[in-house]
Amino acid sequence: MTYLRYDNATRTETDETVIATLVRKGWEVFTPEPVVEVPPTYTADEWVDAQGFTGKRPTTLLYLKLQLDAAGKTSPKLAAVQAWLDQLIIAGVTAPDERRTAEAWTSSPYSFEQASQEALQVLSS
């Protein structure tokens, strides 16, 4: 038996004639199930990487924070990113295998570049 895969959403009157002819020739017509796309999921660690904080970047931000603390200065962008990283570190430690969609994780308030550049500017002022 030969099968004709057919999507009802694109069916036209001309197609009806073609389909009827194929059925007479022994084809079986079926409508496929709609394809459901499953969004990617991330662990906390994977989400940190996906937000651009791969490798030693979190450690670099920590060193910048320590330098700011020692100088008695603050960087609002760095503080916001550090608070975001802290939440994800806790999530990664308490549920390392938990996977969530991108919508379920919070995005970094600032990029690595934005946070580190502001911290360096504050340090040099």
Side-chain angles (χ1 to χ4, degrees), residues 19-71:
I19 290 170
T21 302
L22 292 172
V23 168
R24 280 194 304 277
K25 291 183 177 184
W27 287 53
E28 185 174 323
V29 177
F30 73 96
T31 302
E33 292 295 320
V35 175
V36 178
E37 291 190 28
V38 178
T41 59
Y42 305 86
T43 63
D45 289 341
E46 291 168 343
W47 185 244
V48 168
D49 290 347
Q51 293 289 295
F53 293 88
T54 57
K56 296 180 181 178
R57 286 181 164 195
T59 305
T60 301
L61 294 179
L62 179 60
Y63 284 130
L64 285 171
K65 169 119 176 51
L66 293 173
Q67 289 176 341
L68 286 166
D69 289 347

Short mmCIF file of all heavy atoms in Angstrom, two decimals, residues 19-71:
data_model
loop_
_atom_site.label_atom_id
_atom_site.label_comp_id
_atom_site.label_asym_id
_atom_site.label_seq_id
_atom_site.Cartn_x
_atom_site.Cartn_y
_atom_site.Cartn_z
N ILE A 19 -6.54 13.80 -5.24
CA ILE A 19 -6.64 12.81 -4.16
C ILE A 19 -7.60 11.69 -4.55
O ILE A 19 -7.29 10.50 -4.36
CB ILE A 19 -7.08 13.49 -2.85
CG1 ILE A 19 -5.95 14.37 -2.33
CG2 ILE A 19 -7.47 12.45 -1.80
CD1 ILE A 19 -6.33 15.25 -1.19
N ALA A 20 -8.75 12.04 -5.13
CA ALA A 20 -9.72 11.02 -5.55
C ALA A 20 -9.09 10.07 -6.56
O ALA A 20 -9.29 8.84 -6.49
CB ALA A 20 -10.96 11.69 -6.13
N THR A 21 -8.30 10.61 -7.48
CA THR A 21 -7.63 9.77 -8.48
C THR A 21 -6.63 8.83 -7.80
O THR A 21 -6.56 7.64 -8.12
CB THR A 21 -6.90 10.65 -9.52
OG1 THR A 21 -7.85 11.52 -10.13
CG2 THR A 21 -6.20 9.82 -10.57
N LEU A 22 -5.87 9.35 -6.87
CA LEU A 22 -4.88 8.52 -6.16
C LEU A 22 -5.55 7.42 -5.34
O LEU A 22 -5.08 6.28 -5.30
CB LEU A 22 -3.99 9.39 -5.28
CG LEU A 22 -3.04 10.34 -6.02
CD1 LEU A 22 -2.36 11.28 -5.02
CD2 LEU A 22 -2.01 9.57 -6.82
N VAL A 23 -6.67 7.75 -4.72
CA VAL A 23 -7.39 6.75 -3.92
C VAL A 23 -7.88 5.63 -4.84
O VAL A 23 -7.79 4.45 -4.50
CB VAL A 23 -8.55 7.41 -3.14
CG1 VAL A 23 -9.48 6.37 -2.54
CG2 VAL A 23 -7.99 8.32 -2.05
N ARG A 24 -8.39 5.98 -6.04
CA ARG A 24 -8.85 4.95 -6.99
C ARG A 24 -7.69 4.05 -7.41
O ARG A 24 -7.88 2.89 -7.74
CB ARG A 24 -9.47 5.62 -8.22
CG ARG A 24 -10.89 6.08 -8.01
CD ARG A 24 -11.58 6.41 -9.35
NE ARG A 24 -10.90 7.39 -10.18
CZ ARG A 24 -11.00 8.71 -10.02
NH1 ARG A 24 -11.77 9.21 -9.07
NH2 ARG A 24 -10.35 9.53 -10.82
N LYS A 25 -6.47 4.61 -7.40
CA LYS A 25 -5.30 3.82 -7.79
C LYS A 25 -4.73 3.02 -6.63
O LYS A 25 -3.69 2.38 -6.77
CB LYS A 25 -4.22 4.74 -8.37
CG LYS A 25 -4.61 5.34 -9.70
CD LYS A 25 -3.46 6.19 -10.24
CE LYS A 25 -3.84 6.73 -11.62
NZ LYS A 25 -2.74 7.49 -12.22
N GLY A 26 -5.38 3.08 -5.46
CA GLY A 26 -4.94 2.25 -4.35
C GLY A 26 -4.13 2.98 -3.28
O GLY A 26 -3.63 2.36 -2.34
N TRP A 27 -3.99 4.27 -3.41
CA TRP A 27 -3.29 5.03 -2.38
C TRP A 27 -4.21 5.21 -1.18
O TRP A 27 -5.43 5.31 -1.31
CB TRP A 27 -2.90 6.41 -2.89
CG TRP A 27 -1.76 6.41 -3.88
CD1 TRP A 27 -1.66 5.68 -5.02
CD2 TRP A 27 -0.59 7.21 -3.81
NE1 TRP A 27 -0.52 5.96 -5.68
CE2 TRP A 27 0.17 6.91 -4.96
CE3 TRP A 27 -0.11 8.15 -2.93
CZ2 TRP A 27 1.40 7.50 -5.23
CZ3 TRP A 27 1.10 8.76 -3.20
CH2 TRP A 27 1.85 8.42 -4.32
N GLU A 28 -3.62 5.28 -0.01
CA GLU A 28 -4.39 5.59 1.19
C GLU A 28 -3.99 6.99 1.65
O GLU A 28 -2.81 7.29 1.79
CB GLU A 28 -4.10 4.58 2.30
CG GLU A 28 -4.96 4.80 3.52
CD GLU A 28 -4.76 3.70 4.55
OE1 GLU A 28 -4.58 2.54 4.18
OE2 GLU A 28 -4.78 4.05 5.74
N VAL A 29 -4.98 7.83 1.89
CA VAL A 29 -4.73 9.21 2.27
C VAL A 29 -4.88 9.34 3.78
O VAL A 29 -5.82 8.81 4.37
CB VAL A 29 -5.72 10.16 1.56
CG1 VAL A 29 -5.50 11.59 2.02
CG2 VAL A 29 -5.59 10.04 0.05
N PHE A 30 -3.93 9.99 4.41
CA PHE A 30 -4.05 10.27 5.85
C PHE A 30 -3.55 11.67 6.13
O PHE A 30 -2.76 12.22 5.38
CB PHE A 30 -3.31 9.23 6.69
CG PHE A 30 -1.81 9.35 6.65
CD1 PHE A 30 -1.13 10.04 7.64
CD2 PHE A 30 -1.07 8.76 5.63
CE1 PHE A 30 0.25 10.16 7.61
CE2 PHE A 30 0.31 8.86 5.60
CZ PHE A 30 0.97 9.58 6.59
N THR A 31 -4.08 12.24 7.19
CA THR A 31 -3.68 13.58 7.61
C THR A 31 -2.72 13.42 8.78
O THR A 31 -3.07 12.81 9.79
CB THR A 31 -4.91 14.40 8.04
OG1 THR A 31 -5.80 14.45 6.94
CG2 THR A 31 -4.50 15.80 8.45
N PRO A 32 -1.53 13.97 8.66
CA PRO A 32 -0.55 13.83 9.75
C PRO A 32 -0.97 14.64 10.98
O PRO A 32 -1.70 15.62 10.87
CB PRO A 32 0.74 14.38 9.14
CG PRO A 32 0.27 15.33 8.10
CD PRO A 32 -1.02 14.78 7.56
N GLU A 33 -0.48 14.22 12.11
CA GLU A 33 -0.69 14.98 13.34
C GLU A 33 0.13 16.26 13.23
O GLU A 33 1.21 16.26 12.65
CB GLU A 33 -0.21 14.17 14.55
CG GLU A 33 -1.06 12.95 14.83
CD GLU A 33 -2.48 13.30 15.23
OE1 GLU A 33 -2.66 14.27 15.99
OE2 GLU A 33 -3.40 12.63 14.74
N PRO A 34 -0.39 17.35 13.77
CA PRO A 34 0.40 18.59 13.72
C PRO A 34 1.70 18.42 14.50
O PRO A 34 1.75 17.73 15.51
CB PRO A 34 -0.50 19.63 14.39
CG PRO A 34 -1.56 18.86 15.09
CD PRO A 34 -1.64 17.50 14.47
N VAL A 35 2.72 19.06 13.98
CA VAL A 35 4.03 19.01 14.63
C VAL A 35 4.03 20.04 15.77
O VAL A 35 3.74 21.20 15.57
CB VAL A 35 5.16 19.33 13.64
CG1 VAL A 35 6.50 19.39 14.34
CG2 VAL A 35 5.17 18.32 12.51
N VAL A 36 4.32 19.56 16.95
CA VAL A 36 4.38 20.44 18.11
C VAL A 36 5.85 20.64 18.45
O VAL A 36 6.56 19.69 18.77
CB VAL A 36 3.64 19.83 19.31
CG1 VAL A 36 3.75 20.73 20.53
CG2 VAL A 36 2.19 19.56 18.96
N GLU A 37 6.28 21.89 18.35
CA GLU A 37 7.67 22.18 18.67
C GLU A 37 7.83 22.33 20.18
O GLU A 37 7.08 23.06 20.82
CB GLU A 37 8.12 23.45 17.97
CG GLU A 37 8.23 23.27 16.48
CD GLU A 37 8.92 24.44 15.80
OE1 GLU A 37 9.75 25.10 16.44
OE2 GLU A 37 8.61 24.67 14.62
N VAL A 38 8.77 21.62 20.71
CA VAL A 38 9.05 21.68 22.14
C VAL A 38 10.20 22.67 22.35
O VAL A 38 11.28 22.50 21.76
CB VAL A 38 9.43 20.28 22.68
CG1 VAL A 38 9.78 20.36 24.16
CG2 VAL A 38 8.32 19.29 22.41
N PRO A 39 9.97 23.71 23.14
CA PRO A 39 11.05 24.68 23.34
C PRO A 39 12.21 24.05 24.10
O PRO A 39 12.01 23.13 24.90
CB PRO A 39 10.39 25.79 24.17
CG PRO A 39 9.23 25.14 24.83
CD PRO A 39 8.79 24.02 23.92
N PRO A 40 13.42 24.53 23.85
CA PRO A 40 14.56 23.99 24.57
C PRO A 40 14.47 24.29 26.07
O PRO A 40 13.84 25.27 26.47
CB PRO A 40 15.76 24.70 23.95
CG PRO A 40 15.20 25.95 23.34
CD PRO A 40 13.78 25.63 22.97
N THR A 41 15.08 23.43 26.85
CA THR A 41 15.12 23.65 28.29
C THR A 41 16.57 23.75 28.74
O THR A 41 17.47 23.28 28.06
CB THR A 41 14.42 22.50 29.05
OG1 THR A 41 15.07 21.26 28.73
CG2 THR A 41 12.94 22.43 28.70
N TYR A 42 16.74 24.37 29.91
CA TYR A 42 18.09 24.63 30.43
C TYR A 42 18.13 24.31 31.92
O TYR A 42 17.17 24.56 32.64
CB TYR A 42 18.44 26.12 30.28
CG TYR A 42 18.31 26.66 28.88
CD1 TYR A 42 17.09 27.13 28.40
CD2 TYR A 42 19.42 26.71 28.04
CE1 TYR A 42 16.98 27.64 27.11
CE2 TYR A 42 19.31 27.21 26.76
CZ TYR A 42 18.09 27.67 26.30
OH TYR A 42 17.98 28.18 25.03
N THR A 43 19.28 23.82 32.37
CA THR A 43 19.55 23.78 33.80
C THR A 43 19.99 25.18 34.19
O THR A 43 20.25 26.02 33.32
CB THR A 43 20.66 22.78 34.14
OG1 THR A 43 21.88 23.22 33.53
CG2 THR A 43 20.32 21.36 33.70
N ALA A 44 20.13 25.43 35.48
CA ALA A 44 20.58 26.76 35.92
C ALA A 44 21.96 27.08 35.34
O ALA A 44 22.20 28.19 34.85
CB ALA A 44 20.60 26.82 37.44
N ASP A 45 22.86 26.10 35.37
CA ASP A 45 24.21 26.33 34.83
C ASP A 45 24.18 26.61 33.34
O ASP A 45 24.88 27.50 32.84
CB ASP A 45 25.11 25.12 35.11
CG ASP A 45 25.49 24.99 36.57
OD1 ASP A 45 25.37 25.98 37.32
OD2 ASP A 45 25.90 23.87 36.97
N GLU A 46 23.36 25.86 32.61
CA GLU A 46 23.25 26.08 31.17
C GLU A 46 22.64 27.45 30.86
O GLU A 46 23.03 28.10 29.90
CB GLU A 46 22.39 24.98 30.53
CG GLU A 46 23.04 23.62 30.53
CD GLU A 46 22.09 22.50 30.16
OE1 GLU A 46 20.85 22.69 30.21
OE2 GLU A 46 22.60 21.41 29.85
N TRP A 47 21.70 27.89 31.71
CA TRP A 47 21.08 29.19 31.50
C TRP A 47 22.09 30.33 31.73
O TRP A 47 22.11 31.30 30.98
CB TRP A 47 19.86 29.36 32.39
CG TRP A 47 19.14 30.64 32.12
CD1 TRP A 47 18.97 31.69 32.97
CD2 TRP A 47 18.49 31.03 30.89
NE1 TRP A 47 18.26 32.70 32.35
CE2 TRP A 47 17.97 32.32 31.07
CE3 TRP A 47 18.33 30.40 29.66
CZ2 TRP A 47 17.27 33.00 30.07
CZ3 TRP A 47 17.65 31.08 28.65
CH2 TRP A 47 17.13 32.36 28.88
N VAL A 48 22.93 30.17 32.73
CA VAL A 48 23.99 31.18 32.97
C VAL A 48 24.88 31.27 31.73
O VAL A 48 25.18 32.37 31.25
CB VAL A 48 24.81 30.83 34.23
CG1 VAL A 48 26.07 31.68 34.32
CG2 VAL A 48 23.96 30.99 35.48
N ASP A 49 25.26 30.12 31.18
CA ASP A 49 26.08 30.11 29.97
C ASP A 49 25.34 30.74 28.79
O ASP A 49 25.91 31.52 28.02
CB ASP A 49 26.49 28.68 29.60
CG ASP A 49 27.49 28.08 30.56
OD1 ASP A 49 28.07 28.82 31.38
OD2 ASP A 49 27.69 26.85 30.49
N ALA A 50 24.05 30.41 28.65
CA ALA A 50 23.25 30.93 27.54
C ALA A 50 23.09 32.45 27.62
O ALA A 50 22.91 33.10 26.59
CB ALA A 50 21.87 30.27 27.52
N GLN A 51 23.21 33.00 28.81
CA GLN A 51 23.11 34.44 28.99
C GLN A 51 24.44 35.15 28.78
O GLN A 51 24.56 36.36 28.96
CB GLN A 51 22.57 34.76 30.40
CG GLN A 51 21.13 34.33 30.61
CD GLN A 51 20.19 35.21 29.82
OE1 GLN A 51 20.07 36.39 30.09
NE2 GLN A 51 19.52 34.63 28.85
N GLY A 52 25.48 34.40 28.41
CA GLY A 52 26.77 35.00 28.09
C GLY A 52 27.76 35.02 29.24
O GLY A 52 28.79 35.69 29.16
N PHE A 53 27.47 34.28 30.29
CA PHE A 53 28.37 34.26 31.46
C PHE A 53 29.08 32.91 31.52
O PHE A 53 28.99 32.17 32.50
CB PHE A 53 27.58 34.54 32.74
CG PHE A 53 27.04 35.94 32.79
CD1 PHE A 53 25.81 36.24 32.23
CD2 PHE A 53 27.78 36.97 33.34
CE1 PHE A 53 25.31 37.53 32.24
CE2 PHE A 53 27.30 38.28 33.34
CZ PHE A 53 26.06 38.55 32.80
N THR A 54 29.79 32.60 30.45
CA THR A 54 30.49 31.32 30.35
C THR A 54 31.88 31.41 30.98
O THR A 54 32.40 32.50 31.24
CB THR A 54 30.65 30.93 28.87
OG1 THR A 54 31.34 31.99 28.19
CG2 THR A 54 29.30 30.69 28.21
N GLY A 55 32.46 30.26 31.18
CA GLY A 55 33.85 30.18 31.64
C GLY A 55 34.11 30.93 32.93
O GLY A 55 33.44 30.75 33.93
N LYS A 56 35.10 31.82 32.89
CA LYS A 56 35.55 32.54 34.09
C LYS A 56 34.86 33.88 34.28
O LYS A 56 35.23 34.63 35.18
CB LYS A 56 37.07 32.74 34.01
CG LYS A 56 37.82 31.42 34.03
CD LYS A 56 39.30 31.64 33.94
CE LYS A 56 39.99 30.29 33.94
NZ LYS A 56 41.43 30.40 33.80
N ARG A 57 33.86 34.17 33.48
CA ARG A 57 33.20 35.47 33.60
C ARG A 57 32.57 35.70 34.98
O ARG A 57 32.73 36.79 35.54
CB ARG A 57 32.18 35.66 32.48
CG ARG A 57 32.87 35.93 31.16
CD ARG A 57 31.90 36.14 30.04
NE ARG A 57 32.60 36.75 28.91
CZ ARG A 57 32.01 37.32 27.91
NH1 ARG A 57 30.69 37.37 27.84
NH2 ARG A 57 32.70 37.85 26.93
N PRO A 58 31.85 34.72 35.56
CA PRO A 58 31.31 34.95 36.90
C PRO A 58 32.42 35.21 37.93
O PRO A 58 32.26 36.06 38.82
CB PRO A 58 30.54 33.67 37.22
CG PRO A 58 30.14 33.14 35.88
CD PRO A 58 31.32 33.47 34.99
N THR A 59 33.53 34.52 37.80
CA THR A 59 34.65 34.72 38.72
C THR A 59 35.24 36.12 38.52
O THR A 59 35.59 36.80 39.50
CB THR A 59 35.74 33.65 38.50
OG1 THR A 59 35.13 32.36 38.62
CG2 THR A 59 36.87 33.78 39.48
N THR A 60 35.35 36.56 37.29
CA THR A 60 35.84 37.91 37.01
C THR A 60 34.96 38.95 37.68
O THR A 60 35.46 39.91 38.28
CB THR A 60 35.89 38.15 35.48
OG1 THR A 60 36.75 37.17 34.90
CG2 THR A 60 36.39 39.54 35.16
N LEU A 61 33.65 38.77 37.59
CA LEU A 61 32.73 39.72 38.23
C LEU A 61 32.90 39.70 39.75
O LEU A 61 32.83 40.75 40.40
CB LEU A 61 31.28 39.41 37.84
CG LEU A 61 30.93 39.62 36.38
CD1 LEU A 61 29.47 39.26 36.12
CD2 LEU A 61 31.21 41.05 35.93
N LEU A 62 33.14 38.52 40.30
CA LEU A 62 33.36 38.43 41.75
C LEU A 62 34.62 39.20 42.15
O LEU A 62 34.62 39.94 43.14
CB LEU A 62 33.47 36.97 42.17
CG LEU A 62 33.73 36.71 43.66
CD1 LEU A 62 32.60 37.30 44.51
CD2 LEU A 62 33.89 35.23 43.91
N TYR A 63 35.68 39.07 41.38
CA TYR A 63 36.91 39.82 41.67
C TYR A 63 36.68 41.32 41.57
O TYR A 63 37.18 42.09 42.39
CB TYR A 63 38.06 39.39 40.76
CG TYR A 63 38.67 38.06 41.12
CD1 TYR A 63 38.86 37.07 40.17
CD2 TYR A 63 39.06 37.78 42.43
CE1 TYR A 63 39.42 35.84 40.51
CE2 TYR A 63 39.61 36.56 42.77
CZ TYR A 63 39.78 35.59 41.82
OH TYR A 63 40.34 34.40 42.16
N LEU A 64 35.92 41.73 40.57
CA LEU A 64 35.59 43.16 40.45
C LEU A 64 34.80 43.63 41.66
O LEU A 64 35.03 44.71 42.19
CB LEU A 64 34.81 43.42 39.16
CG LEU A 64 35.62 43.38 37.87
CD1 LEU A 64 34.70 43.43 36.65
CD2 LEU A 64 36.62 44.54 37.82
N LYS A 65 33.87 42.81 42.12
CA LYS A 65 33.07 43.17 43.30
C LYS A 65 33.97 43.30 44.53
O LYS A 65 33.82 44.23 45.33
CB LYS A 65 31.99 42.11 43.56
CG LYS A 65 31.29 42.24 44.90
CD LYS A 65 29.84 42.47 44.73
CE LYS A 65 29.07 42.51 46.02
NZ LYS A 65 29.56 43.37 47.05
N LEU A 66 34.90 42.38 44.69
CA LEU A 66 35.83 42.45 45.82
C LEU A 66 36.68 43.71 45.75
O LEU A 66 36.94 44.36 46.78
CB LEU A 66 36.71 41.20 45.86
CG LEU A 66 35.98 39.89 46.18
CD1 LEU A 66 36.92 38.69 46.02
CD2 LEU A 66 35.38 39.93 47.58
N GLN A 67 37.13 44.08 44.56
CA GLN A 67 37.92 45.30 44.40
C GLN A 67 37.07 46.54 44.73
O GLN A 67 37.55 47.47 45.36
CB GLN A 67 38.46 45.41 42.98
CG GLN A 67 39.55 44.40 42.67
CD GLN A 67 40.00 44.47 41.23
OE1 GLN A 67 39.31 45.01 40.36
NE2 GLN A 67 41.17 43.92 40.94
N LEU A 68 35.81 46.53 44.28
CA LEU A 68 34.92 47.64 44.60
C LEU A 68 34.69 47.75 46.10
O LEU A 68 34.73 48.84 46.67
CB LEU A 68 33.58 47.48 43.87
CG LEU A 68 33.60 47.75 42.36
CD1 LEU A 68 32.33 47.23 41.71
CD2 LEU A 68 33.77 49.23 42.09
N ASP A 69 34.45 46.60 46.74
CA ASP A 69 34.23 46.59 48.20
C ASP A 69 35.45 47.15 48.93
O ASP A 69 35.32 47.95 49.85
CB ASP A 69 33.93 45.17 48.70
CG ASP A 69 32.56 44.68 48.27
OD1 ASP A 69 31.73 45.50 47.80
OD2 ASP A 69 32.31 43.46 48.39
N ALA A 70 36.65 46.71 48.50
CA ALA A 70 37.88 47.17 49.14
C ALA A 70 38.07 48.68 48.95
O ALA A 70 38.61 49.35 49.83
CB ALA A 70 39.09 46.42 48.57
N ALA A 71 37.59 49.22 47.83
CA ALA A 71 37.73 50.65 47.56
C ALA A 71 36.55 51.44 48.14
O ALA A 71 36.54 52.67 48.03
CB ALA A 71 37.82 50.88 46.05
#
